[in-house]
Amino acid sequence: MIPTRHGKDGQYEVTVPTVTDRVVQASLKLVLEPIFEADFQPFSYGFRPGRRQHDAIAEIHHLASEPRNYCWVLEADIRACFDEIGHVPLMDRVRARVKDKRVLALVKAFLKAGVMTPDGEEESHSGTPQGGILSPLLANIALSALDDHFAGQRQQLMKTSWQRRARRKRGLGNRKMIRFADDFVVMVAGERQHAEALREEVSGVLATLGLRLAAEKTRVARIDEGFDFLSITIRRMRKRGTNKDYVYTKPSN
């Protein structure tokens, strides 16, 4: 691994793998990806085979359209996700599915590749080296903890239309997450307070991974106001000449 750092206070950091490292990482990905693909949730779209940005946008469009009416969204931003993922919780999730000690040792060595400073190389205790072939998969493995949290709630409390209607009658909201790598939104059918309450819930799950929300970039918006996700603006508006609302998407400014 050829580790480098540019600027002060880690403002820009990249790890450039050697050819040998790239071959090893590509081989590790071939081994690990099928194992974890079997576990990943269907609403996770980033850096996964056969999935793309437009699939995530299409699911948001589906949820926001009537009669599903998921009209509120928690637009979340994880602060320095690839730099701050904790190695311990990440390796715990890898060990839960992989028992081969040689594979585990390679993953751990990849994670601990340091950065070059004027005083010499420093060992890294958090984050996945950006520029590495394996980094997107490892980030997905870590963030699958967040996916599993919302999937478990959905399965237990909101799986059927009857359960969702019953929750609404009791003044509760229904929610569903859509994630693309470290970008995600939580769509909410309910009231604004239901979406606002998710900030603390999401923060609690991320904290177990050594991560945190960027407060200044995390907000709650109504679908009628519009929001940006993956460089696409999504907004529900009244179609001209009709009394019906439709969800529109376009490239963001």
Side-chain angles (χ1 to χ4, degrees):
M1 193 75 73
I2 303 174
T4 59
R5 173 179 284 173
H6 304 278
K8 296 181 179 180
D9 301 322
Q11 292 179 353
Y12 175 71
E13 186 177 298
V14 63
T15 301
V16 183
T18 65
V19 173
T20 302
D21 286 327
R22 290 181 67 84
V23 171
V24 173
Q25 289 180 38
S27 301
L28 270 176
K29 184 181 178 185
L30 287 173
V31 172
L32 295 174
E33 189 171 66
I35 296 172
F36 287 96
E37 271 295 317
D39 296 336
F40 286 158
Q41 299 295 337
F43 51 80
S44 165
Y45 293 96
F47 301 108
R48 295 183 59 191
R51 290 168 173 264
R52 55 186 185 144
Q53 169 198 16
H54 297 294
D55 297 324
I57 299 299
E59 181 164 4
I60 294 173
H61 189 286
H62 174 76
L63 291 171
S65 300
E66 294 183 353
R68 289 157 294 277
N69 203 31
Y70 282 70
C71 56
W72 293 96
V73 58
L74 174 67
E75 185 183 356
D77 184 273
I78 302 176
R79 187 184 300 276
C81 178
F82 282 84
D83 293 332
E84 296 188 2
I85 291 175
H87 289 176
V88 172
L90 172 54
M91 286 303 301
D92 286 345
R93 295 189 74 80
V94 174
R95 287 192 191 95
R97 295 290 277 118
V98 178
K99 304 305 178 185
D100 191 311
K101 292 183 179 180
R102 295 167 298 178
V103 173
L104 294 173
L106 283 172
V107 174
K108 189 173 182 180
F110 166 69
L111 287 173
K112 289 191 173 296
V115 292
M116 196 66 73
T117 68
D119 299 324
E121 186 177 338
E122 293 180 354
E123 188 180 70
S124 175
H125 298 284
S126 64
T128 60
Q130 295 197 42
I133 295 172
L134 201 58
S135 287
L137 175 59
L138 292 178
N140 269 337
I141 292 172
L143 291 173
S144 66
L146 187 62
D147 300 345
D148 292 345
H149 172 79
F150 280 98
Q153 287 186 341
R154 185 88 178 176
Q155 179 70 21
Q156 184 179 2
L157 304 173
M158 298 165 249
K159 182 179 181 180
T160 67
S161 58
W162 181 87
Q163 286 177 309
R164 293 191 291 273
R165 285 195 301 269
R167 284 177 60 84
R168 291 301 306 273
K169 288 180 180 179
R170 298 199 307 270
L172 302 174
N174 298 309
R175 75 280 293 270
K176 189 171 185 183
M177 187 174 78
I178 296 93
R179 184 173 68 81
F180 191 98
D182 57 334
D183 292 324
F184 69 93
V185 296
V186 185
M187 304 292 295
V188 176
E191 306 300 329
R192 184 183 186 95
Q193 64 263 29
H194 299 138
E196 291 284 0
L198 289 172
R199 291 177 189 260
E200 186 175 350
E201 184 175 332
V202 169
S203 294
V205 178
L206 291 178
T208 66
L209 304 170
L211 298 172
R212 52 195 170 139
L213 287 175
E216 68 280 6
K217 295 181 180 179
T218 298
R219 72 185 187 107
V220 169
R222 188 173 175 83
I223 193 71
D224 299 48
E225 302 168 5
F227 66 97
D228 291 342
F229 184 58
L230 305 177
S231 300
I232 299 293
T233 297
I234 305 166
R235 186 179 180 185
R236 186 172 61 191
M237 296 186 294
R238 181 64 51 88
K239 184 177 181 180
R240 185 176 300 176
T242 73
N243 61 353
K244 292 185 177 181
D245 293 332
Y246 290 87
V247 179
Y248 293 89
T249 60
K250 66 176 183 177
S252 62
N253 293 331

